[in-house]
Amino acid sequence: DTAVSQTPKYLVTQMGNDKSIKCEQNLGHDTMYWYKQDSKKFLKIMFSYNNKELIINETVPNRFSPKSPDKAHLNLHINSLELGDSAVYFCASSQGAGGGSGNTIYFGEGSWLTVV
Amino acid sequence: GENVEQHPSTLSVQEGDSAVIKCTYSDSASNYFPWYKQELGKGPQLIIDIRSNVGEKKDQRIAVTLNKTAKHFSLHITETQPEDSAVYFCAVNTGFQKLVFGTGTRLLVSP
């Protein structure tokens, strides 16, 4: 009964490849997010979707493309992977308009991406 | 944009001691201040939050205090236990429907 689940948990891939991370939430939330956590543990929002509509795009390179087929899913596609993309990517969700409105953000367990 | 500073970056305490982590922010319009705990290999999890209409909130061994005038808020953990060892993040909301996270504090509680 995992609330926010993302796959894969670990991903090792070569530079230049294209990869996807999938995320699903079973909490009935309206808003989903992708966060990136680098090696220094800095946690930064990348994208936010509310009812399948993009509401936050934090100047992420356009090699990163989120896709939300429905409000329970938010997948992250990354093209032409670079060494600097190595990080932990967290999917998250919250009720209502977003984390800024005071609704709790629920995070998945993270996807460890290593680009070699 | 919102600037959130968090200190200290690492904190080591003995079991039973108290731990205090402080965050400062820049946007006076911010009104929601959560704290998240991230255990090793896990995603961050909300442990306590406070809104701008109160100055302090407690939940068992943890408490958060807010000073809106000075634009800082703190997490207080009393009677620390080894299972409190984790990375703690403060966060602040902005007017653009998002949370900005602090830089994190690695807390180590030694038995």
mmCIF file of all heavy atoms in Angstrom, chain A residues 2 20 25 37 44 55 74 90 95 100-101 105 111:
data_model
loop_
_atom_site.group_PDB
_atom_site.id
_atom_site.type_symbol
_atom_site.label_atom_id
_atom_site.label_comp_id
_atom_site.label_asym_id
_atom_site.label_seq_id
_atom_site.Cartn_x
_atom_site.Cartn_y
_atom_site.Cartn_z
ATOM 1 N N THR A 2 1.963 1.216 -0.790
ATOM 2 C CA THR A 2 2.875 2.351 -0.872
ATOM 3 C C THR A 2 2.142 3.557 -1.425
ATOM 4 O O THR A 2 1.409 3.459 -2.411
ATOM 5 C CB THR A 2 4.050 1.996 -1.798
ATOM 6 O OG1 THR A 2 4.667 0.803 -1.338
ATOM 7 C CG2 THR A 2 5.058 3.120 -1.800
ATOM 8 N N SER A 20 13.900 6.654 -18.563
ATOM 9 C CA SER A 20 12.665 7.130 -17.944
ATOM 10 C C SER A 20 12.548 6.617 -16.524
ATOM 11 O O SER A 20 12.991 5.508 -16.217
ATOM 12 C CB SER A 20 11.448 6.636 -18.731
ATOM 13 O OG SER A 20 11.434 7.199 -20.018
ATOM 14 N N GLN A 25 1.071 7.621 -7.670
ATOM 15 C CA GLN A 25 0.603 7.855 -6.295
ATOM 16 C C GLN A 25 -0.832 7.361 -6.162
ATOM 17 O O GLN A 25 -1.654 7.551 -7.061
ATOM 18 C CB GLN A 25 0.749 9.333 -5.897
ATOM 19 C CG GLN A 25 0.077 10.328 -6.812
ATOM 20 C CD GLN A 25 -1.304 10.773 -6.385
ATOM 21 O OE1 GLN A 25 -1.810 10.375 -5.325
ATOM 22 N NE2 GLN A 25 -1.937 11.612 -7.197
ATOM 23 N N GLN A 37 17.856 15.552 -5.932
ATOM 24 C CA GLN A 37 18.742 15.695 -4.781
ATOM 25 C C GLN A 37 20.153 15.334 -5.212
ATOM 26 O O GLN A 37 20.413 14.204 -5.620
ATOM 27 C CB GLN A 37 18.290 14.805 -3.620
ATOM 28 C CG GLN A 37 19.097 15.049 -2.345
ATOM 29 C CD GLN A 37 18.513 14.335 -1.146
ATOM 30 O OE1 GLN A 37 18.182 13.163 -1.193
ATOM 31 N NE2 GLN A 37 18.361 15.062 -0.039
ATOM 32 N N LYS A 44 15.954 20.074 -4.695
ATOM 33 C CA LYS A 44 15.458 21.165 -5.519
ATOM 34 C C LYS A 44 14.311 20.700 -6.398
ATOM 35 O O LYS A 44 14.403 19.642 -7.028
ATOM 36 C CB LYS A 44 16.591 21.696 -6.403
ATOM 37 C CG LYS A 44 16.311 23.053 -6.997
ATOM 38 C CD LYS A 44 17.598 23.741 -7.426
ATOM 39 C CE LYS A 44 17.314 25.186 -7.802
ATOM 40 N NZ LYS A 44 16.487 25.330 -8.977
ATOM 41 N N ILE A 55 2.580 23.262 -13.733
ATOM 42 C CA ILE A 55 2.464 24.541 -13.054
ATOM 43 C C ILE A 55 3.803 25.096 -12.601
ATOM 44 O O ILE A 55 3.947 26.288 -12.377
ATOM 45 C CB ILE A 55 1.483 24.483 -11.846
ATOM 46 C CG1 ILE A 55 1.875 23.403 -10.841
ATOM 47 C CG2 ILE A 55 0.072 24.273 -12.326
ATOM 48 C CD1 ILE A 55 1.033 23.445 -9.571
ATOM 49 N N LEU A 74 3.105 10.547 -12.874
ATOM 50 C CA LEU A 74 3.980 11.584 -13.414
ATOM 51 C C LEU A 74 5.318 10.936 -13.700
ATOM 52 O O LEU A 74 6.048 10.573 -12.789
ATOM 53 C CB LEU A 74 4.152 12.750 -12.440
ATOM 54 C CG LEU A 74 5.062 13.882 -12.936
ATOM 55 C CD1 LEU A 74 4.493 14.516 -14.195
ATOM 56 C CD2 LEU A 74 5.250 14.946 -11.860
ATOM 57 N N PHE A 90 13.412 12.321 -6.790
ATOM 58 C CA PHE A 90 12.266 11.987 -5.953
ATOM 59 C C PHE A 90 10.986 12.443 -6.625
ATOM 60 O O PHE A 90 10.864 13.600 -7.030
ATOM 61 C CB PHE A 90 12.360 12.668 -4.581
ATOM 62 C CG PHE A 90 13.378 12.060 -3.674
ATOM 63 C CD1 PHE A 90 14.623 12.645 -3.516
ATOM 64 C CD2 PHE A 90 13.084 10.909 -2.964
ATOM 65 C CE1 PHE A 90 15.574 12.082 -2.682
ATOM 66 C CE2 PHE A 90 14.025 10.340 -2.117
ATOM 67 C CZ PHE A 90 15.267 10.924 -1.971
ATOM 68 N N GLN A 95 -1.956 17.151 -1.819
ATOM 69 C CA GLN A 95 -3.336 17.523 -2.121
ATOM 70 C C GLN A 95 -3.379 19.012 -2.460
ATOM 71 O O GLN A 95 -2.513 19.777 -2.064
ATOM 72 C CB GLN A 95 -4.229 17.228 -0.910
ATOM 73 C CG GLN A 95 -5.715 17.365 -1.165
ATOM 74 C CD GLN A 95 -6.189 16.519 -2.324
ATOM 75 O OE1 GLN A 95 -6.015 16.878 -3.495
ATOM 76 N NE2 GLN A 95 -6.775 15.368 -2.029
ATOM 77 N N GLY A 100 3.292 24.750 -1.568
ATOM 78 C CA GLY A 100 3.350 26.105 -1.057
ATOM 79 C C GLY A 100 2.088 26.536 -0.344
ATOM 80 O O GLY A 100 2.092 27.510 0.413
ATOM 81 N N SER A 101 1.020 25.807 -0.534
ATOM 82 C CA SER A 101 -0.245 26.196 0.078
ATOM 83 C C SER A 101 -0.420 25.575 1.454
ATOM 84 O O SER A 101 -1.447 25.748 2.085
ATOM 85 C CB SER A 101 -1.407 25.779 -0.820
ATOM 86 O OG SER A 101 -1.380 24.380 -1.023
ATOM 87 N N ILE A 105 3.643 17.402 1.562
ATOM 88 C CA ILE A 105 4.188 16.739 0.385
ATOM 89 C C ILE A 105 4.654 15.347 0.801
ATOM 90 O O ILE A 105 5.397 15.199 1.768
ATOM 91 C CB ILE A 105 5.352 17.537 -0.215
ATOM 92 C CG1 ILE A 105 4.863 18.900 -0.707
ATOM 93 C CG2 ILE A 105 5.990 16.765 -1.365
ATOM 94 C CD1 ILE A 105 5.955 19.761 -1.299
ATOM 95 N N SER A 111 14.829 7.534 -6.802
ATOM 96 C CA SER A 111 15.462 6.738 -7.860
ATOM 97 C C SER A 111 16.896 7.226 -7.999
ATOM 98 O O SER A 111 17.129 8.390 -8.315
ATOM 99 C CB SER A 111 14.722 6.910 -9.195
ATOM 100 O OG SER A 111 13.426 6.370 -9.125
#
